[in-house]
């Protein structure tokens, strides 16, 4: 077993409270799904979060163009862990033929579904016509999705935004095109492309979309803590919820949202240390070079520490560590030194206000 009996029993206790569900033909172990995040949702992090109650996960966005060219680094991004159960691979690209070919390649790595990124606001992606630029022309979307779907035998899904900008809010239209093309579900981030990460996700709009949607809908945006997740879960008409940034500062968010009192902090700093050790093992197995392992692991450790006492001092020290062993030693000292003092995060403050969806 990966975890101590004490931690595993807390995990099992909370995990039992979530219900499996099917979105179309895709089964998830809970309605709370880890959202795709570039350079973050590689298989070590995805597997860790599945072990910590995520009902499913989606990979970081992967370029169809780079798959077409057989780019070695990109091909490694397609890898899944044999223990991952409910994982999708997300692809991006404006060219339907290249997307179809990439989807076929990705399918051979064994995911449950292929997801198309239609929410990325980044200029480099949208100027070529990919990411959220795909929202601009619903008429062209049908043939694009049809080609990708025809290339694979597993389900195809899409992740979108509300529209290009305030005047161009058209998610309802996009969902209808998706339905006609046999898409399995739609995940939607409640902002427009123009908003990037500013303002608040518009959950009223998301809930109203669901009332008319012929397809299962997953809502996403600003569910940063267990309390807001559990509140939304209790009231939403949407079929499932996706969580991105909230899982970086609290990887136990999927489990803690299942409590009767989701404001109570169940997992201690010692539990955080244990999951960091688990992530260390997974990262070491996934990446050969110590430099890459260090860069990968350090960012997670620093995010996980957020909100614990003296976290900023620890963060500064962690960035001084130039090798894995010394990083792990100072991490252990830090998390053990906190004892039972809890975590307190400023959820109103800016935390990662850019990304690819
Ligand atoms: C660092 C970062 C990277 C992201 N990368 C992706 C991505 O690769 N694909 C995607 O569809 N969305 C991506 N997103 C968007 C998230 O999946 C999600 O839609 C957005 O962050 C809103 O959810 P949240 O408020 O729970 O963070 C990314 C977001 C962040 C912060």
């Amino acid at each position: 077993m990966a975890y101590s009996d004490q931690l595993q029993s807390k995990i099992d206790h909370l995990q039992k409270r979530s219900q499996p569900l099917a979105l179309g033909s895709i089964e998830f172990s809970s309605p709370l799904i880890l959202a795709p995040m570039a350079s973050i949702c590689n298989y070590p992090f995805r597997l860790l979060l599945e072990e910590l109650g995520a009902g499913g996960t989606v990979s970081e966005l992967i370029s169809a163009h780079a798959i077409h060219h057989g780019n070695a680094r990109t091909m490694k991004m397609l890898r899944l862990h044999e223990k991952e159960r409910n994982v999708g691979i997300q692809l991006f690209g404006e060219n339907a033929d290249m997307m179809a070919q990439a989807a076929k390649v990705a399918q051979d790595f064994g995911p449950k579904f292929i997801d198309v990124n239609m929410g990325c606001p980044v200029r480099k992606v949208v100027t070529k016509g990919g990411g959220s630029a795909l929202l601009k022309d619903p008429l062209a979307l049908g043939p694009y999705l049809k080609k990708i779907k025809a290339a694979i035998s597993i389900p195809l899904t899409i992740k979108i935004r509300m529209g290009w900008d305030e005047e161009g809010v058209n998610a309802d239209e996009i969902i209808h095109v998706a339905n006609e093309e046999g898409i399995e579900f739609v995940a939607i981030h409640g902002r427009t492309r123009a908003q990037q990460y500013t303002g608040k996700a518009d959950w009223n709009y998301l809930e109203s979309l669901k009332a008319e949607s012929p397809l299962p809908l997953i809502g996403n945006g600003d569910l940063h803590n267990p309390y807001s997740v559990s509140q939304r879960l209790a009231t939403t008409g949407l079929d499932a919820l996706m969580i991105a940034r909230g899982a970086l500062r609290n990887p136990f968010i999927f489990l803690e949202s299942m409590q009767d009192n989701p404001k109570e902090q169940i997992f201690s700093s010692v539990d955080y240390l244990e999951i960091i050790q688990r992530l260390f093992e997974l990262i070491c197995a996934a990446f050969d070079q110590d430099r890459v392992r260090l860069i990968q692991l350090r960012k997670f450790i620093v995010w996980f520490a957020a909100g614990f006492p003296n976290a900023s001092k620890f963060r500064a020290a962690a960035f001084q560590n130039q090798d894995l062993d010394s990083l792990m030693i100072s991490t252990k000292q830090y998390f053990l030194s906190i004892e039972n003092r809890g975590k307190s995060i400023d959820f109103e403050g800016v935390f990662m206000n850019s990304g690819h969806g």
Side-chain angles (χ1 to χ4, degrees):
M1 199 190 303
Y3 303 109
S4 66
D5 290 349
Q6 208 181 7
L7 174 55
Q8 192 63 51
S9 74
K10 285 197 236 181
I11 294 173
D12 293 344
H13 170 71
L14 290 168
Q15 210 152 23
K16 273 194 211 120
R17 292 172 160 235
S18 61
Q19 294 292 326
L21 87 159
L23 300 181
S25 64
I26 306 172
E27 288 184 11
F28 293 104
S29 60
S30 119
L32 302 180
I33 294 162
L34 177 69
M37 280 181 282
S39 308
I40 293 172
C41 292
N42 48 28
Y43 82 69
F45 186 64
R46 294 192 311 258
L47 178 60
L48 179 77
L49 280 253
E50 250 198 277
E51 290 176 354
L52 302 181
T57 66
V58 186
S59 75
E60 56 196 315
L61 86 172
I62 302 177
S63 159
H65 194 263
I67 293 175
H68 176 75
H69 287 95
N71 178 292
R73 220 175 124 237
T74 304
M75 298 309 286
K76 279 193 174 167
M77 290 161 77
L78 291 165
R79 293 174 304 166
L80 308 184
H81 192 282
E82 61 191 17
K83 288 196 173 145
E84 285 186 277
R85 284 164 304 153
N86 300 320
V87 56
I89 291 182
Q90 187 187 70
L91 302 174
F92 78 99
E94 68 291 349
N95 181 306
D97 290 317
M98 246 183 222
M99 283 292 281
Q101 188 204 358
K104 215 167 161 177
V105 172
Q107 170 176 265
D108 289 342
F109 283 76
K112 270 197 166 175
F113 58 98
I114 300 292
D115 185 62
V116 179
N117 180 314
M118 293 179 48
C120 178
V122 171
R123 188 177 298 277
K124 209 171 123 191
V125 173
V126 297
T127 47
K128 290 193 186 130
S132 55
L134 289 162
L135 302 172
K136 282 199 213 172
D137 188 355
L139 280 181
L141 188 61
Y144 170 88
L145 293 175
K146 195 187 288 301
K147 222 169 221 172
I148 306 169
K149 179 141 175 71
I152 54 176
S153 56
I154 56 175
L156 186 65
T157 65
I158 60 176
K159 179 164 176 284
I160 66 176
R161 284 186 172 231
M162 297 193 325
W164 180 256
D165 56 19
E166 206 180 330
E167 291 73 47
V169 167
N170 62 351
D172 53 341
E173 210 180 330
I174 300 289
I175 290 167
H176 279 93
V177 174
N179 185 45
E180 273 164 28
E181 299 307 330
I183 297 302
E184 214 70 10
F185 67 70
V186 178
I188 173 163
H189 176 185
R191 288 184 173 86
T192 62
R193 188 269 170 177
Q195 281 180 293
Q196 305 262 349
Y197 285 78
T198 62
K200 294 238 181 300
D202 186 346
W203 280 91
N204 289 336
Y205 177 73
L206 300 190
E207 296 290 347
S208 73
L209 264 183
K210 172 59 198 171
E212 305 290 324
S213 174
L215 284 177
L217 271 195
I218 307 179
N220 164 245
D222 302 343
L223 301 176
H224 294 324
N225 58 67
Y227 180 68
S228 58
V229 175
S230 86
Q231 290 255 325
R232 183 59 59 189
L233 204 53
T235 56
T236 189
L238 290 146
D239 299 277
L241 304 176
M242 243 182 200
I243 299 163
R245 290 167 290 178
L248 302 178
R249 293 189 294 181
N250 181 359
F252 294 107
I253 191 169
F254 298 93
L255 295 168
E256 286 186 340
S257 305
M258 292 298 158
Q259 299 171 84
D260 291 330
N261 173 9
K263 285 191 170 163
E264 193 186 337
Q265 202 174 301
I266 296 279
F267 295 93
S268 67
S269 57
V270 175
D271 297 324
Y272 274 78
L273 180 59
E274 239 189 84
I275 65 159
I276 288 169
Q277 279 159 340
R278 171 71 176 143
L279 191 57
F280 169 77
E281 284 169 22
L282 291 168
I283 284 177
C284 286
F287 301 100
D288 301 333
Q289 294 173 11
D290 270 351
R291 191 185 56 83
V292 178
R293 292 168 172 166
L294 177 74
I295 293 168
Q296 280 288 330
L297 189 64
R298 187 165 49 194
K299 66 182 184 207
F300 288 112
I301 293 176
V302 164
W303 287 327
F304 292 177
F308 279 121
N310 304 320
S312 53
K313 213 166 140 198
F314 168 68
R315 184 169 55 235
F319 280 105
Q320 298 295 317
N321 286 132
Q322 292 307 325
D323 69 272
L324 267 176
D325 288 343
S326 56
L327 175 68
M328 288 308 283
I329 291 168
S330 56
T331 298
K332 193 169 174 184
Q333 280 167 350
Y334 172 68
F335 281 91
L336 291 179
S337 74
I338 300 167
E339 295 170 340
N340 284 329
R341 286 180 294 157
K343 218 170 147 85
S344 127
I345 296 175
D346 166 19
F347 292 108
E348 297 307 319
V350 174
F351 174 66
M352 304 200 77
N353 58 357
S354 66
H356 287 272

